[in-house]
């Protein structure tokens, strides 16, 4: 796979049959990929991501989520440097909000979540 398409390819843990055709080497716009396939890919990816952030402790979960945000920020920066942007769905704006939400959760509910984590997961 050449060019910028490699940057957009999902991690192998998330890749599924719906999205494979987009990264098969032919031009993605000529694949016939439709809205139903996109939605199924989205739901399957979301399910995998939910499993990936499940951790043995609250602190491990915070760390994993922060690492995901850092990784996403690096990817978005790489895409931006290649002039790949979507003005209507700019996910970079969500990074600080998510970091803020994690900090708020840690500060307001962290003690309880640390004590009861094993009962919740």
């Amino acid at each position: 796979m050449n060019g910028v398409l490699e940057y957009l390819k999902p991690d192998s843990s998330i890749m599924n049959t719906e999205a494979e055709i987009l990264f098969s080497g032919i031009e993605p716009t000529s694949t016939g990929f439709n809205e139903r396939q996109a939605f199924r890919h989205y739901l399957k990816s979301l399910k995998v991501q939910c499993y990936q952030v499940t951790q043995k402790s609250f602190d491990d979960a915070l760390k994993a989520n922060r690492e995901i945000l850092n990784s996403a920020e690096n990817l978005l920066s790489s895409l931006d440097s290649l002039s790949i942007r979507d003005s209507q769905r700019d996910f970079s704006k969500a990074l600080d909000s998510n970091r803020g939400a994690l900090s708020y959760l840690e500060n307001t509910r962290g003690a309880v979540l640390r004590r009861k984590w094993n009962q919740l997961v």
Side-chain angles (χ1 to χ4, degrees), residues 99-114:
R99 287 185 177 114
L102 289 173
S103 292
Y104 182 79
L105 181 65
E106 182 178 20
N107 292 331
T108 59
R109 301 284 187 254
V112 172
L113 289 169
R114 284 181 181 94

Side-chain angles (χ1 to χ4, degrees), residues 64-76:
N65 277 275
R66 287 179 173 138
E67 287 173 359
I68 289 168
L69 290 171
N70 291 339
S71 181
E73 186 171 45
N74 290 337
L75 176 60
L76 289 168

Side-chain angles (χ1 to χ4, degrees), residues 3 15 34 37 44 55 58 81 87 89 99-100:
M15 181 61 84
N34 61 39
Q37 289 169 300
K44 288 179 180 180
Q55 300 292 322
F58 175 67
S81 71
S87 61
R89 293 183 290 181
R99 287 185 177 114

Side-chain angles (χ1 to χ4, degrees), residues 21-91:
I21 193 165
L22 292 173
F23 303 95
S24 64
I26 58 175
E27 190 149 332
T29 54
S30 65
T31 64
F33 190 71
N34 61 39
E35 192 171 332
R36 181 174 187 226
Q37 289 169 300
F39 189 65
R40 295 187 100 192
H41 167 63
Y42 166 75
L43 290 177
K44 288 179 180 180
S45 298
L46 192 58
K47 181 180 178 181
V48 170
Q49 290 170 6
C50 287
Y51 285 121
Q52 288 176 337
V53 297
T54 302
Q55 300 292 322
K56 293 181 181 183
S57 72
F58 175 67
D59 289 317
D60 287 346
L62 281 175
K63 182 180 176 187
N65 277 275
R66 287 179 173 138
E67 287 173 359
I68 289 168
L69 290 171
N70 291 339
S71 181
E73 186 171 45
N74 290 337
L75 176 60
L76 289 168
S77 177
S78 296
L79 292 172
D80 188 62
S81 71
L82 296 167
S83 297
I84 300 173
R85 303 175 193 90
D86 186 345
S87 61
Q88 295 184 11
R89 293 183 290 181
D90 183 2
F91 294 105

